Amino acid sequence: ARDRLALAEALEKAGRSSEAAIYFRELLRDNPNSGPANLGLARVAVDQKDIQDAVNYYHRAIYGSWPGDARSQRIQARIELIQALGKFGKKREAQAELLALEAEMPNDIAVEKQVGRLLLDYGLPQNAAEVFRKVVAKNSRDVDALAGLGEAYLAMDNYRAAQAAFSSALRVQPDNAVVARRLDLVQKILALDPTVRGLRPAERYQR
């Protein structure tokens, strides 16, 4: 079974998905609950642009049996599913899977940051902010988490909070050009704030 799985995965990676599917299905005949075999058929379905079949197999992989670190494998399978849904323009479905992933996320900073970025990419900035805040609470010098938090606040039009997050990231890593550009953008936006006291009516209108 291990050799057939290795062969099937190699065929799928080589773009020979139809041949790979034969071996994955043989494995499922012996073990219908196999996480790796179901994941393989999900990838084959994505290659063949059959998104509904892919979703079905991804779900079987997520809830299937895995050797080794099963929880980590299931999380990565769900992340793959989210990315496949995004590739096929299924944003609502991707968001639903992301919320499910957020609810079962392990206490793992690398996974939390990956999920935070996905939440941002798929239009869920409030959820992303909550995830990044948790990471920053664990490590206040995590530049990626601080920058992610800044992006989440920026997406929510909370420019003061975005400024604070980007500034914190830049204090930790002063040579980070990407964060510096984002901070500059936020500061330019804040400089146009029409609610600042003391402005003349014409200047307020212009802002």
Side-chain angles (χ1 to χ4, degrees):
R2 186 175 60 251
D3 293 342
R4 277 187 292 168
L5 178 62
L7 175 58
E9 289 174 339
L11 288 166
E12 193 277 323
K13 286 177 183 176
R16 295 163 64 179
S17 56
S18 296
E19 291 175 74
I22 295 169
Y23 292 98
F24 285 130
R25 290 194 179 98
E26 282 182 7
L27 288 161
L28 288 180
R29 276 198 293 271
D30 295 335
N31 180 11
N33 204 36
S34 167
N38 278 298
L39 180 61
L41 282 175
R43 290 169 175 168
V44 167
V46 170
D47 290 342
Q48 296 175 346
K49 298 181 170 52
D50 186 344
I51 187 59
Q52 192 51 59
D53 222 20
V55 169
N56 291 337
Y57 280 117
Y58 272 121
H59 281 152
R60 292 176 190 172
I62 290 164
Y63 299 107
S65 60
W66 290 86
D69 186 354
R71 189 175 191 186
S72 175
Q73 300 279 10
R74 288 167 182 154
I75 286 169
Q76 291 308 313
R78 196 183 290 278
I79 288 172
E80 266 196 44
L81 168 57
I82 291 162
Q83 292 169 335
L85 288 166
K87 178 181 176 182
F88 286 92
K90 305 285 187 180
K91 184 177 179 179
R92 287 181 182 275
E93 292 87 341
Q95 288 177 332
E97 294 292 341
L98 262 171
L99 294 175
L101 178 58
E102 185 186 8
E104 63 187 27
M105 197 163 42
N107 184 23
D108 182 315
I109 286 178
V111 174
E112 287 171 328
K113 289 192 290 187
Q114 187 177 14
V115 171
R117 283 288 173 187
L118 285 169
L119 287 164
L120 268 178
D121 291 344
Y122 287 94
L124 295 167
Q126 290 183 330
N127 299 75
E130 181 62 27
V131 170
F132 286 124
R133 277 195 294 266
K134 288 178 182 176
V135 177
V136 171
K138 297 173 189 175
N139 179 7
S140 62
R141 295 179 61 81
D142 191 313
V143 173
D144 291 336
L146 287 165
L149 185 57
E151 294 293 349
Y153 283 135
L154 185 56
M156 293 188 286
D157 300 333
N158 189 342
Y159 303 116
R160 293 288 176 194
Q163 181 186 41
F166 287 131
S167 295
S168 296
L170 211 56
R171 280 196 296 272
V172 177
Q173 198 174 80
D175 60 346
N176 191 315
V178 174
V179 173
R181 285 195 296 271
R182 300 305 276 170
L183 177 59
D184 183 58
L185 170 64
V186 172
Q187 289 172 333
K188 286 177 179 176
I189 293 169
L190 287 170
L192 297 174
D193 185 357
T195 65
V196 174
R197 293 181 179 180
L199 295 175
R200 294 190 302 273
E203 189 178 358
R204 190 180 304 281
Y205 178 79
Q206 184 179 22
R207 288 187 176 201

